[in-house]
Amino acid sequence: MKLYLYLQANQLDVLRHARLHLTGIRDVKDPFIHNAKAIQRQAIRIAEADFQQEIEKQFKALPPALKGLMDWETFVREAQKKRPQIEAQMRKKKQGKPSVLPNPQAYDELGWCRLFKRPDHPLLWERYAQQHQGLVVELDTAYPAFQQQKQIMRPVVYGPARPQADHPMKPFPALFHRAPEYASEEEVRLVRPLSDAKSSQQLKNGQTLYFYPFPPRAVMSVILGVQASPELKEQVQRILTYDMKYKPGRPLREVLLDPTQFKLHLRGTL
C-alpha cells in the first residue's frame, strides 16, 4: 500500500538515515486519547407524572393471579413505600450503560507515526509539512522489510462515538478513532513499541523522538512543497542522486498550484 509521510524541511534525516520518527503517545496532546476531563452526567429527576406512568405500567404487567389479590389503590400504596428503589431503577434505565473508556496507561510504552493516503491534500501540507515548505516521502508500506512483527498499522476510523473499553477493535481502539471533522485527512497510523527504537533524541520542548530504520527501497518518490526553498530542493536532489541507499535513484517531484481551482498538482522535476 502506498502511503505518504509529510515532513518539515528540517526532517531530512528521515531520508539521510532511512529512519522513521515516532512520537511517544504519552507526549501526544490529543485530549480524547488521554481521557481529559469530561462532562459529568446530570442527575436525572423523576417527575411525578413519570412515576405514575411507571407504576401504571407495572400494574398492567402483573400476572392475572396477582391482579386478583391486589386492587389499584393497594398497589399504589405499596409502590409509594418502594418509591426510592423504583426511581433508582428508572434513572438507571434512562442513563443507559455507563461509559468506560480505554485506559490510557496502556499507551505509555508505545509510539506512533502518522501516514496519509494522499500526497496532494492542501490541509495536510499546511498542517504537517511546514505550510507547504516541507516535503512528502512516498512509501511502499507493503515492502517486506517495512513490516515488523511488533507493529499495528491501521486506517483511522472517523465518527462521533468515542470507542469504549470493550470495543471489538483490539488492543488499542482509542488510537485509531477520531472525530468526523478530521475525515478528509484519510490518516493511517503506525504504532510500534518504544523499546524497539534503535535510538532516540530529546527535543527542547521536553518530548522525545524515537527512530526506527526502514528499508530505503520502500521509498518510491519524494515530493517537494510548492513553497520549498531552493536549498531544500538541492539537498534532496543530492541525497537521491548520490546516496548509495537509493541507487539507481528515486523520482523527485514537486507540487504546483492549479490556476483555476484550489487544487495541487504533482509534476516530475527535470
Side-chain angles (χ1 to χ4, degrees), residues 40-63:
Q40 297 298 313
R41 288 186 176 186
Q42 294 182 344
I44 296 176
R45 180 179 176 273
I46 304 298
E48 183 63 30
D50 293 334
F51 180 75
Q52 291 298 326
Q53 186 178 12
E54 175 65 20
I55 61 176
E56 286 177 14
K57 184 169 64 175
Q58 290 188 12
F59 182 74
K60 291 178 180 178
L62 287 174

Side-chain angles (χ1 to χ4, degrees), residues 1-3 5 115 137-141 146 214 218-220:
M1 178 168 55
K2 291 193 301 184
L3 293 175
L5 177 63
L115 304 166
V137 178
E138 181 183 11
L139 293 168
D140 177 11
T141 59
F146 192 90
F214 65 82
V219 175
M220 302 179 69

Side-chain angles (χ1 to χ4, degrees), residues 186-257:
E186 296 184 271
E187 182 181 352
V188 177
R189 290 178 174 174
L190 174 65
V191 176
R192 290 177 175 174
L194 296 180
S195 58
D196 284 0
K198 297 303 180 184
S199 59
S200 62
Q201 176 185 348
Q202 188 165 14
L203 305 179
K204 292 181 179 179
N205 61 6
Q207 295 183 358
T208 303
L209 281 182
Y210 298 86
F211 303 123
Y212 297 74
F214 65 82
R217 289 190 176 277
V219 175
M220 302 179 69
S221 71
V222 178
I223 305 160
L224 295 170
V226 69
Q227 300 196 113
S229 67
E231 292 78 15
L232 178 62
K233 180 177 181 179
E234 180 182 352
Q235 291 180 66
V236 174
Q237 283 180 321
R238 189 180 302 121
I239 292 171
L240 296 183
T241 303
Y242 300 110
D243 194 320
M244 296 302 295
K245 292 192 298 292
Y246 299 109
K247 290 296 182 182
R250 298 292 185 275
L252 177 60
R253 298 187 284 172
E254 62 183 351
V255 174
L256 297 175
L257 302 184

Side-chain angles (χ1 to χ4, degrees), residues 22 43 68 78 92 112 130 139 151 157 178-179 192 249 265 268:
L22 269 69
E78 293 299 318
K92 186 176 181 180
W112 75 12
Q130 201 177 345
L139 293 168
Q151 74 173 27
V157 177
R178 282 199 100 182
R192 290 177 175 174
H265 298 275

Side-chain angles (χ1 to χ4, degrees), residues 71-90:
D71 58 20
W72 168 246
E73 288 75 15
T74 303
F75 184 83
V76 170
R77 285 196 301 271
E78 293 299 318
Q80 288 292 350
K81 295 176 183 178
K82 300 177 182 178
R83 182 162 185 160
Q85 297 95 316
I86 295 174
E87 287 191 356
Q89 292 174 352
M90 293 173 66

